Amino acid sequence: MTTLTTEQQESLITAARRASQNAYAPYSHFRVGAAILLDNGQVFAGCNVENVSYGLTNCAERSAIFAAVAAVGAAMKIRAVAVVNDRNVACSPCGACRQVIAEFGPQADIFYLGPNGMQRSTVRELLPDCFTSDSLG
Ligand code: THU
């Protein structure tokens, strides 16, 4: 899979920023936006949606992925993911989101804010030796 052009990266980050404006984060006050680029070029975005029962919170990444599955079906493949937050602090996808990204984008590039600004990584790097359907036989 070829790496994204600078324009593709920027437009994915812009889509993530736009989605973060719709975040529902009255408990953490930490607004997150994510956007995913599919193999077919389509982009889907999501934001975090919290709940008074805190554990029911959905992260921005999973919101974007679930929206994409609902719209185009589970055969979709994620080529890249971008994650941003309104505080511009370092924030990589949580463990649960890494596992869900791996499900639909085992080769995906992941762009997120690291300690030195936006950085690129891969699911393999962020979730080494992860659980896959291979284990199910
Ligand atoms: N959150 C995300 O949406 N994505 C991340 O990558 C990290 C955390 C959300 C979950 C919760 O609503 C808030 O950020 C604080 O944890």
Side-chain angles (χ1 to χ4, degrees):
M1 207 179 304
T2 54
T3 46
L4 268 58
T5 63
T6 308
E7 290 72 30
Q8 283 174 315
Q9 281 176 41
E10 276 167 10
S11 76
L12 205 58
I13 292 165
T14 299
R17 277 207 193 292
R18 201 173 298 129
S20 73
Q21 291 169 6
N22 287 337
Y24 177 67
Y27 307 106
S28 73
H29 305 289
F30 189 66
R31 303 164 74 83
V32 184
I36 61 173
L37 172 68
L38 303 187
D39 266 2
N40 69 4
Q42 283 183 286
V43 172
F44 289 88
C47 57
N48 55 330
V49 181
E50 298 186 344
N51 190 273
V52 63
S53 177
Y54 296 173
L56 301 183
T57 292
N58 216 51
C59 291
E61 296 90 324
R62 279 175 291 141
S63 296
I65 293 167
F66 298 158
V69 171
V72 306
M76 63 145 203
K77 280 274 166 286
I78 301 172
R79 185 169 168 208
V81 181
V83 193
V84 301
N85 64 82
D86 66 344
R87 290 189 209 165
N88 283 322
V89 294
C91 170
S92 65
C94 78
C97 290
R98 293 177 192 202
Q99 184 74 43
V100 175
I101 294 168
E103 185 84 16
F104 295 102
Q107 316 288 336
D109 280 334
I110 305 176
F111 298 91
Y112 61 93
L113 266 172
N116 302 312
M118 217 58 189
Q119 68 182 60
R120 187 188 71 85
S121 196
T122 60
V123 185
R124 250 169 232 239
E125 287 163 345
L126 293 182
L127 196 64
D129 216 3
C130 75
F131 182 59
T132 68
S133 60
D134 294 348
S135 308
L136 303 177

